[in-house]
């Protein structure tokens, strides 16, 4: 049970993702509803993000931007 507890503690909420991406919570929510956000986990009514998913999502955005500029 200890590994599950530590995993849950590591999850990010919408405010964390907004802070990391320097965007508003409303923007994070809107993108999630439009399926333009990184993968998330729903725990009851709460939405959480795995740090590794956020990192991979941000990397994929950077790669997409670089391809668009060519």
């Amino acid at each position: 049970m200890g590994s599950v507890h530590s995993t849950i503690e590591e999850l990010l909420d919408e405010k964390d993702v907004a802070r990391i991406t320097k965007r508003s919570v409303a923007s994070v929510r809107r993108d999630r509803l439009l399926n333009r956000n990184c993968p998330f986990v729903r725990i009851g009514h709460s939405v959480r993000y795995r740090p590794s998913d956020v990192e991979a999502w941000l990397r994929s955005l950077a790669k997409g931007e670089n391809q668009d500029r060519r």
Side-chain angles (χ1 to χ4, degrees):
M1 182 94 167
S3 66
V4 170
H5 182 68
S6 65
T7 300
I8 290 173
E9 286 182 353
E10 291 176 7
L11 295 175
L12 305 172
D13 63 14
E14 295 169 320
K15 291 177 185 176
D16 295 326
V17 174
R19 180 183 45 78
I20 290 166
T21 59
K22 300 199 184 327
R23 301 169 68 223
S24 68
V25 172
S27 293
V28 172
R29 288 178 182 164
R30 183 188 64 239
D31 285 354
R32 186 179 70 245
L33 293 172
L34 296 174
N35 292 319
R36 296 189 310 198
N37 209 351
C38 65
F40 62 92
V41 177
R42 189 172 295 280
I43 303 172
H45 293 289
S46 300
V47 173
R48 297 292 183 263
Y49 299 86
R50 290 181 191 97
S52 58
D53 288 342
V54 173
E55 197 173 323
W57 175 65
L58 290 172
R59 266 194 246 110
S60 75
L61 291 177
K63 289 178 184 176
E65 287 177 5
N66 290 336
Q67 291 174 354
D68 291 343
R69 291 183 182 177
R70 288 182 189 171

